[in-house]
Amino acid sequence: MVVAGALGVLGVTTALAVPTSAGAAAGTLGAAAAQSGRYFGAAVAAGHLGDSTYVATWDREFNSVTPENEMKWDTTEPSRGSFNFGPGDQIANHAQSKGMRVRGHTLVWHAQLPGWVGNLSAGDLRTAMTNHINGVMGHYKGKIYAWDVVNEAFADGGAVGSLRSSVFTETRQRLHRRGLPRRTRRRPGRQALLQRLQHR
């Protein structure tokens, strides 16, 4: 019963991983997944790390973790250039101490952005995004096996492939309305670039 309740709270995920030895006993969900070359993970919130039942279930059943909100932009860089890795470090350090894999979630998302991001020009937004990604990935280098770099970029419903309305797409649209810089207009289209690369 405790496991079933905790599974609902933890948010279960599974995916492929490196297989373990065939002789390992599958005494936990994580061990059972590992026997078939998979990992069994959960989205974990740092605010629950004081709950012994939550942590015991996480430690016992899972071999992978994704921080729920602790690595999102509003948490990791609430003020421009001022990083806060405390909540994400709590989860990453605990997971590593238990031999779990950590998936980084997420570097760029349309939600949970600090207020200062919404007021930037297109060029400044690109610079801020690059600095943010480099800062967070640099801090977690060697600790994260994979990143959700851009999360939910496409709109829900509507035309297939349409981008979600966000500060990123709105800034891009403002740039196009003003006219692209001359050097951008002169760049060859994607098809022309692919053709040039094929003939090398």
Side-chain angles (χ1 to χ4, degrees):
M1 274 311 224
V2 172
V3 172
L7 291 178
V9 172
L10 291 173
V12 179
T13 61
T14 60
L16 295 175
V18 178
T20 60
S21 66
T28 67
L29 296 169
Q35 284 183 330
S36 63
R38 301 177 189 280
Y39 58 87
F40 192 71
V44 174
H48 294 297
L49 296 181
D51 180 337
S52 61
T53 303
Y54 183 93
V55 173
T57 302
W58 174 26
D59 290 348
R60 182 182 63 248
E61 297 296 334
F62 301 97
N63 57 6
S64 177
V65 65
T66 302
E68 192 172 295
N69 295 302
E70 292 74 7
M71 292 183 181
K72 292 179 180 168
W73 201 333
D74 66 340
T75 299
T76 56
E77 193 180 3
S79 299
R80 189 167 189 177
S82 178
F83 289 90
N84 172 28
F85 298 112
D89 285 351
Q90 284 182 287
I91 293 172
N93 293 339
H94 181 88
Q96 286 190 314
S97 76
K98 302 297 181 181
M100 296 178 192
R101 296 169 57 133
V102 181
R103 179 181 188 96
H105 177 77
T106 182
L107 295 168
V108 178
W109 190 35
H110 68 278
Q112 290 182 254
L113 292 168
W116 62 268
V117 171
N119 301 319
L120 301 176
S121 68
D124 208 16
L125 179 60
R126 183 183 181 111
T127 299
M129 188 168 45
T130 300
N131 291 340
H132 175 73
I133 291 169
N134 289 336
V136 176
M137 289 184 77
H139 177 78
Y140 287 107
K141 185 177 182 178
K143 297 179 181 179
I144 306 292
Y145 78 93
W147 279 99
D148 295 332
V149 178
V150 176
N151 190 40
E152 299 178 358
F154 294 101
D156 297 326
V160 174
S162 60
L163 295 175
R164 178 182 301 279
S165 178
S166 70
V167 65
F168 306 105
T169 54
E170 290 166 12
T171 301
R172 181 174 161 251
Q173 289 167 356
R174 282 195 315 266
L175 181 66
H176 283 284
R177 279 193 300 269
R178 281 193 322 223
L180 295 174
R182 188 169 199 216
R183 65 185 168 87
T184 304
R185 285 195 308 251
R186 295 180 62 203
R187 288 184 184 157
R190 180 175 176 219
Q191 192 62 35
L193 180 60
L194 289 173
Q195 288 173 350
R196 279 199 345 229
L197 293 173
Q198 289 173 349
H199 294 292
R200 286 189 180 179

